[in-house]
Amino acid sequence: MSIDEFIALFETSGKRYHIVGNGNNGVLIGLDLEGRLFAFLDGEVLNKVHPQAVLGQSSGDVYLNPGGDGLWPAPEGSCLGYEYATGQWRVPPGITGARYGVQETNGNVATVRAEIDLINNIGVGIPTVFGRSVSIATENNAMRVTVIESIQYIGTNTLENSHCLLAPWTLCQFDSGPESEVVFPGEHEDCLRDLYDSSDSQRWIDNGMYHCKTDGAMRYQVGMDARVPWIEYRNPGKQLTVRRSAKPLPAGQGYIDIADSPPSEKPSDKGVSLSVYSDPGLFMEIEAAGGCPHILKPGARMTLEVETIYSTG
């Protein structure tokens, strides 16, 4: 989809957006679309796009996945996650209904924020401010997108991690298919784990590099700890390569278990830094997750700096 066609969807729906960069290379921020980021190079949008999500609105009955690169709170499941507060999986309405505002902008840099109230799976209310500071740099057929993701706790109660875990988690989506895969270096076999069923049939290692097929054959998610420095999505059919990495966490914050585990379970102590998700609906995600402190105090701000390099041709 061209960026002009994509913008036309926003204009038709009346949803607000903001462009970082120019009309040829940059990032479109869907201010009324979960604050999602959509990278485009040479006028073509590179991330997955779900037009119905731009034209419509998610509800309690139907979630319209926008695609792009989203910021969600982690963990997803367990008793301290944010997707099962009603007992069934759903994207919190605070996320789908968020209205981001542009706080700062200057050509190739922009910062957007939105107030989002969360309720975790044991019923603890957590008022927050989500922030995304986006900067881009382009060279030849590549664009480097650097995003400082943040979630600030603005409640008045001090919360221990037995009652609240909260970390920024960014999910960058693409179309998948027979030719697509994700690769990453892996010197230690115990640096990764399956977050759903075994993905052994979709994964192998060759010369110190893991290869994960993202062909839609099965639903799986592989989480990696901080020993994996980067993950890279490759789609030769679309002549697209996307490498994602994250800076070390700020002092006092630790990685957490982001898995979509049942809300009856406690989160494990196995923290996740990067992950790859593959869905039979022919989309996939390269993800990066931040961390949180042992005790969440009023005003605490969890941050994660993520670098995503898009290359075409």
Side-chain angles (χ1 to χ4, degrees), residues 68 77 91 112 154 175 179 193 216 222 248 255 257 288 302:
V91 180
V112 299
I154 58 173
D175 293 312
E179 293 185 297
R193 66 186 178 101
V222 178
Y255 294 105
D257 181 9
M302 285 62 68

PDB file of all heavy atoms in Angstrom, residues 68 77 91 112 154 175 179 193 216 222 248 255 257 288 302:
ATOM      1  N   GLY A  68       1.061  -2.416  11.895  1.00  0.00           N
ATOM      2  CA  GLY A  68       2.037  -1.423  12.336  1.00  0.00           C
ATOM      3  C   GLY A  68       2.861  -1.899  13.512  1.00  0.00           C
ATOM      4  O   GLY A  68       3.107  -3.089  13.702  1.00  0.00           O
ATOM      5  N   GLY A  77      -0.448 -12.301  29.778  1.00  0.00           N
ATOM      6  CA  GLY A  77      -1.221 -13.226  30.592  1.00  0.00           C
ATOM      7  C   GLY A  77      -0.725 -13.269  32.029  1.00  0.00           C
ATOM      8  O   GLY A  77      -0.113 -12.325  32.513  1.00  0.00           O
ATOM      9  N   VAL A  91      -8.207  -7.048  24.184  1.00  0.00           N
ATOM     10  CA  VAL A  91      -7.322  -5.894  24.262  1.00  0.00           C
ATOM     11  C   VAL A  91      -8.013  -4.851  25.125  1.00  0.00           C
ATOM     12  O   VAL A  91      -9.169  -4.507  24.872  1.00  0.00           O
ATOM     13  CB  VAL A  91      -7.025  -5.331  22.859  1.00  0.00           C
ATOM     14  CG1 VAL A  91      -6.093  -4.127  22.958  1.00  0.00           C
ATOM     15  CG2 VAL A  91      -6.407  -6.404  21.981  1.00  0.00           C
ATOM     16  N   VAL A 112       4.837  11.536  21.209  1.00  0.00           N
ATOM     17  CA  VAL A 112       3.392  11.494  21.408  1.00  0.00           C
ATOM     18  C   VAL A 112       3.103  10.811  22.747  1.00  0.00           C
ATOM     19  O   VAL A 112       3.865   9.956  23.204  1.00  0.00           O
ATOM     20  CB  VAL A 112       2.675  10.758  20.255  1.00  0.00           C
ATOM     21  CG1 VAL A 112       2.931  11.469  18.928  1.00  0.00           C
ATOM     22  CG2 VAL A 112       3.103   9.296  20.162  1.00  0.00           C
ATOM     23  N   ILE A 154       1.084   6.868  37.201  1.00  0.00           N
ATOM     24  CA  ILE A 154       0.677   8.147  37.795  1.00  0.00           C
ATOM     25  C   ILE A 154      -0.315   7.949  38.942  1.00  0.00           C
ATOM     26  O   ILE A 154      -0.964   8.901  39.365  1.00  0.00           O
ATOM     27  CB  ILE A 154       0.092   9.099  36.731  1.00  0.00           C
ATOM     28  CG1 ILE A 154      -1.121   8.477  36.012  1.00  0.00           C
ATOM     29  CG2 ILE A 154       1.170   9.490  35.719  1.00  0.00           C
ATOM     30  CD1 ILE A 154      -1.836   9.438  35.076  1.00  0.00           C
ATOM     31  N   ASP A 175       3.237  -8.684   7.220  1.00  0.00           N
ATOM     32  CA  ASP A 175       2.635  -9.821   6.534  1.00  0.00           C
ATOM     33  C   ASP A 175       3.657 -10.954   6.485  1.00  0.00           C
ATOM     34  O   ASP A 175       4.859 -10.716   6.380  1.00  0.00           O
ATOM     35  CB  ASP A 175       2.217  -9.435   5.113  1.00  0.00           C
ATOM     36  CG  ASP A 175       1.075  -8.425   5.104  1.00  0.00           C
ATOM     37  OD1 ASP A 175       0.083  -8.637   5.820  1.00  0.00           O
ATOM     38  OD2 ASP A 175       1.193  -7.401   4.394  1.00  0.00           O
ATOM     39  N   GLU A 179       7.923 -17.509   2.232  1.00  0.00           N
ATOM     40  CA  GLU A 179       9.331 -17.134   2.146  1.00  0.00           C
ATOM     41  C   GLU A 179       9.842 -16.412   3.386  1.00  0.00           C
ATOM     42  O   GLU A 179      11.043 -16.194   3.510  1.00  0.00           O
ATOM     43  CB  GLU A 179       9.563 -16.239   0.925  1.00  0.00           C
ATOM     44  CG  GLU A 179       9.359 -16.915  -0.413  1.00  0.00           C
ATOM     45  CD  GLU A 179       9.725 -16.000  -1.555  1.00  0.00           C
ATOM     46  OE1 GLU A 179       9.062 -14.951  -1.696  1.00  0.00           O
ATOM     47  OE2 GLU A 179      10.664 -16.316  -2.289  1.00  0.00           O
ATOM     48  N   ARG A 193      12.962 -19.626  24.748  1.00  0.00           N
ATOM     49  CA  ARG A 193      11.952 -20.591  25.186  1.00  0.00           C
ATOM     50  C   ARG A 193      10.655 -20.328  24.445  1.00  0.00           C
ATOM     51  O   ARG A 193      10.372 -19.202  24.009  1.00  0.00           O
ATOM     52  CB  ARG A 193      11.710 -20.502  26.693  1.00  0.00           C
ATOM     53  CG  ARG A 193      11.093 -19.197  27.165  1.00  0.00           C
ATOM     54  CD  ARG A 193      11.030 -19.142  28.686  1.00  0.00           C
ATOM     55  NE  ARG A 193      10.500 -17.889  29.165  1.00  0.00           N
ATOM     56  CZ  ARG A 193       9.250 -17.710  29.595  1.00  0.00           C
ATOM     57  NH1 ARG A 193       8.410 -18.743  29.620  1.00  0.00           N
ATOM     58  NH2 ARG A 193       8.837 -16.535  30.030  1.00  0.00           N
ATOM     59  N   GLY A 216       3.088 -19.042   8.653  1.00  0.00           N
ATOM     60  CA  GLY A 216       1.690 -19.192   9.016  1.00  0.00           C
ATOM     61  C   GLY A 216       1.258 -20.628   9.240  1.00  0.00           C
ATOM     62  O   GLY A 216       0.063 -20.889   9.414  1.00  0.00           O
ATOM     63  N   VAL A 222       8.347 -17.323  20.325  1.00  0.00           N
ATOM     64  CA  VAL A 222       9.631 -17.657  20.930  1.00  0.00           C
ATOM     65  C   VAL A 222      10.152 -16.416  21.642  1.00  0.00           C
ATOM     66  O   VAL A 222      10.306 -15.358  21.019  1.00  0.00           O
ATOM     67  CB  VAL A 222      10.647 -18.132  19.875  1.00  0.00           C
ATOM     68  CG1 VAL A 222      11.999 -18.422  20.530  1.00  0.00           C
ATOM     69  CG2 VAL A 222      10.133 -19.373  19.145  1.00  0.00           C
ATOM     70  N   PRO A 248      20.112  -1.789  26.729  1.00  0.00           N
ATOM     71  CA  PRO A 248      19.940  -2.354  28.074  1.00  0.00           C
ATOM     72  C   PRO A 248      18.956  -1.518  28.891  1.00  0.00           C
ATOM     73  O   PRO A 248      18.798  -0.312  28.666  1.00  0.00           O
ATOM     74  CB  PRO A 248      21.352  -2.287  28.660  1.00  0.00           C
ATOM     75  CG  PRO A 248      22.259  -2.287  27.467  1.00  0.00           C
ATOM     76  CD  PRO A 248      21.525  -1.524  26.407  1.00  0.00           C
ATOM     77  N   TYR A 255      13.853  -7.402  33.535  1.00  0.00           N
ATOM     78  CA  TYR A 255      12.974  -8.042  32.562  1.00  0.00           C
ATOM     79  C   TYR A 255      11.954  -8.935  33.265  1.00  0.00           C
ATOM     80  O   TYR A 255      12.211  -9.461  34.351  1.00  0.00           O
ATOM     81  CB  TYR A 255      13.796  -8.891  31.580  1.00  0.00           C
ATOM     82  CG  TYR A 255      14.701  -8.079  30.695  1.00  0.00           C
ATOM     83  CD1 TYR A 255      16.076  -8.033  30.922  1.00  0.00           C
ATOM     84  CD2 TYR A 255      14.189  -7.349  29.626  1.00  0.00           C
ATOM     85  CE1 TYR A 255      16.910  -7.283  30.109  1.00  0.00           C
ATOM     86  CE2 TYR A 255      15.016  -6.589  28.810  1.00  0.00           C
ATOM     87  CZ  TYR A 255      16.384  -6.570  29.052  1.00  0.00           C
ATOM     88  OH  TYR A 255      17.204  -5.816  28.248  1.00  0.00           O
ATOM     89  N   ASP A 257       8.404 -11.832  32.692  1.00  0.00           N
ATOM     90  CA  ASP A 257       7.759 -12.846  31.859  1.00  0.00           C
ATOM     91  C   ASP A 257       6.548 -12.209  31.179  1.00  0.00           C
ATOM     92  O   ASP A 257       5.587 -11.829  31.848  1.00  0.00           O
ATOM     93  CB  ASP A 257       7.320 -14.019  32.738  1.00  0.00           C
ATOM     94  CG  ASP A 257       6.655 -15.130  31.955  1.00  0.00           C
ATOM     95  OD1 ASP A 257       6.667 -15.086  30.708  1.00  0.00           O
ATOM     96  OD2 ASP A 257       6.115 -16.052  32.599  1.00  0.00           O
ATOM     97  N   ALA A 288       9.939  -6.352  21.182  1.00  0.00           N
ATOM     98  CA  ALA A 288      10.923  -6.005  22.206  1.00  0.00           C
ATOM     99  C   ALA A 288      10.177  -5.631  23.474  1.00  0.00           C
ATOM    100  O   ALA A 288       9.143  -4.965  23.422  1.00  0.00           O
ATOM    101  CB  ALA A 288      11.806  -4.843  21.755  1.00  0.00           C
ATOM    102  N   MET A 302       8.815   3.536  33.311  1.00  0.00           N
ATOM    103  CA  MET A 302       9.511   2.416  32.699  1.00  0.00           C
ATOM    104  C   MET A 302       9.803   2.761  31.245  1.00  0.00           C
ATOM    105  O   MET A 302       8.888   3.138  30.501  1.00  0.00           O
ATOM    106  CB  MET A 302       8.660   1.146  32.775  1.00  0.00           C
ATOM    107  CG  MET A 302       8.608   0.507  34.166  1.00  0.00           C
ATOM    108  SD  MET A 302       7.882   1.547  35.464  1.00  0.00           S
ATOM    109  CE  MET A 302       6.160   1.601  34.937  1.00  0.00           C
TER     110      MET A 302
END
